[in-house]
Amino acid sequence: MNRLWVRLSLAFILVALISALAVALLASHLTANQFQQYVARRDSLVQSGLLEELTTYYEATGSWQGVETVLVQYAGRGQGRGRPPVLLADATGQIIYDERDLRVGTALTESERDSTLPIVVRDAAVGYLLLGAQGYGMLAANEQDFLDQLQRTLLVAALFAAGLGIIVGVVLSRTVSRPLARLAQAARA
């Protein structure tokens, strides 16, 4: 039987599913875009020549003392405001330079170490260069876990909203179609 409430319910379900899908696709696209921008910024750091300059500096001096002069020159090369900060850690992973002076003296996290560019002199890592995230330092493991949990929560919320939209759509379609069905029945009589 081709009832009006069934057609209205299907229309509401379709609208709810399309809306949830659109939100999920938009969130996924924006997240992927931000990640690609981060990778591009990291690649630009590699191509800037800073890694080679730091290697040369360490080979010449044997330490990181006074390395700020090299890093400040890099910061002044017209890289633009709003670019991510550069962090330099020694061989032990202790941060010795932070462009924004937020983390000097702290240690790199394990996930940060995985994202660093090692500075190698005579086959030994003497330091680690790290490009921080836009506006802040690199995301620590607990911060990344929070971001992942937030994305899962948004997905559950989108599914819940779609389900609620379907339920409300079915109820509304039955409510709207009931008087119309009575009217059509009376007209036939």
Side-chain angles (χ1 to χ4, degrees):
M1 183 177 260
N2 197 6
R3 294 186 163 195
L4 179 61
W5 76 269
V6 172
R7 286 186 278 165
L8 285 172
S9 294
L10 290 175
F12 279 122
I13 289 170
L14 184 64
V15 168
L17 291 177
I18 288 173
S19 298
L21 180 64
V23 168
L25 289 175
L26 180 64
S28 175
H29 174 71
L30 291 175
T31 302
N33 189 29
Q34 288 296 318
F35 183 72
Q36 288 171 348
Q37 286 179 9
Y38 169 76
V39 171
R41 287 190 300 262
R42 185 164 186 232
D43 289 347
S44 72
L45 179 64
V46 171
Q47 295 169 0
S48 72
L50 180 61
L51 198 59
E52 290 79 14
E53 285 183 50
L54 291 172
T55 302
T56 303
Y57 180 86
Y58 192 87
E59 287 174 334
T61 64
S63 75
W64 290 119
Q65 195 152 8
V67 73
E68 294 83 12
T69 57
V70 174
L71 292 163
V72 168
Q73 287 176 352
Y74 168 77
R77 288 187 191 163
Q79 296 293 326
R81 289 187 72 202
R83 71 174 168 71
V86 172
L87 303 167
L88 177 66
D90 62 13
T92 65
Q94 187 85 7
I95 297 175
I96 56 176
Y97 177 83
D98 176 0
E99 198 169 9
R100 297 193 179 143
D101 290 326
L102 299 174
R103 300 201 38 214
V104 173
T106 64
L108 293 173
T109 65
E110 197 62 38
S111 63
E112 286 176 327
R113 267 193 198 244
D114 294 338
S115 301
T116 61
L117 299 170
I119 301 167
V120 179
V121 174
R122 293 188 275 301
D123 296 326
V126 295
Y128 301 95
L129 188 60
L130 179 68
L131 182 65
Q134 186 73 20
Y136 300 98
M138 275 294 288
L139 293 178
N142 61 344
E143 293 166 334
Q144 185 61 50
D145 289 342
F146 173 77
L147 185 60
D148 294 341
Q149 181 63 36
L150 180 63
Q151 289 175 337
R152 285 190 294 271
T153 302
L154 288 173
L155 176 63
V156 169
L159 293 174
F160 178 76
L164 186 62
I166 290 169
I167 292 169
V168 169
V170 169
V171 169
L172 279 175
S173 65
R174 289 194 64 109
T175 303
V176 167
S177 66
R178 200 172 289 141
L180 293 174
R182 279 190 235 131
L183 181 62
Q185 188 178 23
R188 280 191 298 271

